[in-house]
Amino acid sequence: MTKPTIAGNRTGRKLGQRVKNKKMKSSSRQWLQRHINDPYVQRAQLEGYRARAAFKLLEIDEKHQILKGARRIIDLGAAPGSWSQIASKVTGSTDDDVRVAAIDFLEMTQLPGVTILQLDFLDPEAPAKLIEAVGGTPDVVLSDMASPTTGHHRTDHLRTMHLCEVAAYFAIEVLGEGGHFLAKTFQGGTEKELLTLLKQHFKQVIHVKPASSRAESVEMFLLAKHFKGRKLQTEATGA
Ligand SMILES: C[S@@+](CC[C@H](N)C(=O)[O-])C[C@H]1O[C@@H](n2cnc3c(N)ncnc32)[C@H](O)[C@@H]1O
């Protein structure tokens, strides 16, 4: 996979543009200004990715090699779909042999080789539906899920952390031995118990912050590599 470098502006659109609409709320104007001047947004358009988030996954993979050789991938919180685009490509997924399952409660435009479930991941039926949709044991579980913002920082933070935790339990339930789990979290937000649990089940557990994740954002990614397998659980419970 090629290194995601951001070399100047190749979309033909100038960086450093200002939004002058005075009727807009100042926070919305700032957001729009930052968005149109963001080189990753421009590069995503140029390279056909549905979101700038693509570069976070590409960067993490460049450094930590989590997608190489993956045969089946589950993408949690997938809309608009840039991670699923990458997942479909690396697994060689096609509509005749689907190897990627994606879930989001938002509507997502169809993607070749990806089965999309428009469903809340916290719905009790979601895990079984995802496994059925991906057609076998996944090697990688990705979660870029972020709870919709309420405006109350602490509430948003706790809800996203909860999603990360449920995704981690799901990964431990479904991953094949040697598989990897990557999930969005927040700086200093990962609970100690969750880290302990992941360390029991994976050979390596680290936090990563790709350059394409905005520096001012507290967003981080939790990466758990090389799943040890469910034999471990059976031994621990004596089942
Ligand atoms: C940052 S976006 C994902 C971007 C995506 N990785 C991409 O590359 O296009 C986070 C997504 O998580 C979804 N999400 C949040 N909570 C969810 C839940 N409980 N179930 C399903 N999707 C959820 C949101 O609807 C949103 O689309």
Side-chain angles (χ1 to χ4, degrees), residues 129-216:
K129 286 191 172 168
L130 280 164
I131 285 299
E132 192 191 340
V134 83
T137 304
D139 313 291
V140 180
V141 172
L142 303 171
S143 168
D144 197 15
M145 283 187 292
S147 176
T149 47
T150 60
H152 185 263
H153 179 76
R154 183 88 189 120
T155 305
D156 298 342
H157 194 100
L158 286 171
R159 285 187 180 165
T160 295
M161 289 316 307
H162 178 63
L163 290 170
C164 175
E165 195 175 323
V166 180
Y169 278 99
F170 172 70
I172 290 168
E173 282 286 311
V174 302
L175 273 175
E177 204 169 326
H180 310 303
F181 169 61
L182 175 71
K184 192 200 286 289
T185 180
F186 290 125
Q187 263 158 25
T190 315
E191 297 291 340
K192 204 164 160 246
E193 291 97 86
L194 177 60
L195 282 178
T196 308
L197 177 85
L198 288 171
K199 283 177 186 168
Q200 278 167 1
H201 289 276
F202 292 83
K203 288 189 184 158
Q204 191 187 11
V205 180
I206 52 171
H207 282 96
V208 289
K209 170 96 177 163
S212 47
S213 171
R214 292 187 170 105
E216 68 274 21

Side-chain angles (χ1 to χ4, degrees), residues 51 53-54 75 77-83 103-106 119-122 144-148 163 184:
D75 185 9
S82 73
W83 285 20
I103 186 168
D104 204 297
F105 48 52
L106 296 182
L119 184 67
D120 187 338
F121 173 63
L122 299 177
D144 197 15
M145 283 187 292
S147 176
L163 290 170
K184 192 200 286 289

